[in-house]
Amino acid sequence: MSGNIMLPTPHKIIDIIRETENEYTFRIETIAKVKHGQFFQVSLPKVGEAPISVSAMGDGWVELTIRKVGKVTNEIFNLKPGDKIFMRGPYGNPFPLDDFKGKDLVIIAGGTGVSPVRSLLKYFYEHPDEIHSLYFIAGFKDEKSILFKEDLSNFRKRFNTIYTLDKDKIEGFEVGFVTEHIQKIPFNNFENYNVVIVGPPVMMHFAALECLKKGVTEDKIWLSFERKMSCGVGKCGHCKINETYVCLEGPVFNYTKAKNLLD
């Protein structure tokens, strides 16, 4: 990044993938160097902007999975491939990828929290020799809320996966919240490992507590506060929790710090 860090630039939409009724994935041209766990500020002139986590990345593009929840995202959903969208970034403290390599990794995600960990999962799917083992728990509200179905199917082939729905019972999915399935992770068999937790604050809070009950130490747990993002550069103060600017120090935090930021 150079020049005015608050100035967005136009980027072409390459493709749009409908994930659910309210969530679309936009593949967007960019030469930006992005790390797993970072986010962009996405905007439309005269409409506004919204912080969106990177859900995948490749040579000359990123994917942003956007949920239709307000004025800005409603307008973005009217765009078509070939149209321009404005972005600035990437911003944020990423997941410590190098620290994850060669170890066991547990990823626990709830709902749209699957988006910020998707690029990390895809990386280790494509580089299986760089991870000792990977356990992935993903929870969704119901069948209509399931994101990245093709990826979830692929991840089953290479990772130890548990997919669950809050109440619905369908083939390939357990029933219950992700916290109810953490007990199935064989932490005692791991020598050196990390745990990533992303989702609504309540889910992250109780998932972390379940991991601690299983003997996981605080320094092995990583959380992402991607939902707290606002301006991205520490100017507006909307992401501030106590004295911490989440956009500057996060969104990824080690639990030793994150435990004091959870509601």
Side-chain angles (χ1 to χ4, degrees), residues 87-102:
M87 301 196 308
R88 56 184 177 88
Y91 298 118
N93 186 39
F95 292 109
L97 180 68
D98 289 342
D99 192 49
F100 293 167
K101 292 180 180 180

Side-chain angles (χ1 to χ4, degrees), residues 197-217:
I197 305 172
V198 188
V202 170
M203 169 260 168
M204 292 198 295
H205 174 72
F206 285 104
L209 291 180
E210 284 300 313
C211 290
L212 294 173
K213 287 179 189 174
K214 293 284 290 182
V216 179
T217 56

Side-chain angles (χ1 to χ4, degrees), residues 103-159:
K103 302 175 183 177
D104 298 287
L105 181 62
V106 177
I107 298 179
I108 304 165
T112 54
V114 176
S115 295
V117 298
R118 179 180 176 232
S119 70
L120 193 63
L121 288 158
K122 288 171 79 71
Y123 177 85
F124 285 121
Y125 179 82
E126 293 162 4
H127 303 86
D129 55 320
E130 293 189 16
I131 196 85
H132 189 262
S133 76
L134 197 152
Y135 285 76
F136 177 39
I137 304 179
F140 301 95
K141 182 179 179 182
D142 50 36
E143 186 175 2
K144 293 180 181 178
S145 306
I146 299 171
L147 294 168
F148 314 123
K149 293 178 182 177
E150 184 178 344
D151 287 329
L152 294 182
S153 178
N154 288 334
F155 295 156
R156 286 185 193 275
K157 302 169 189 173
R158 201 156 281 176
F159 304 147

Side-chain angles (χ1 to χ4, degrees), residues 51 53 110-113 199-201 224-230 251:
S53 296
T112 54
S224 175
F225 286 75
E226 47 97 20
R227 291 174 180 232
K228 290 291 292 183
M229 294 299 106
S230 194

Side-chain angles (χ1 to χ4, degrees), residues 19-32:
E19 305 288 354
T20 71
E21 184 177 340
N22 294 313
E23 282 127 343
Y24 290 10
T25 294
F26 292 74
R27 179 171 286 198
I28 302 167
E29 276 188 356
T30 180
I31 58 171

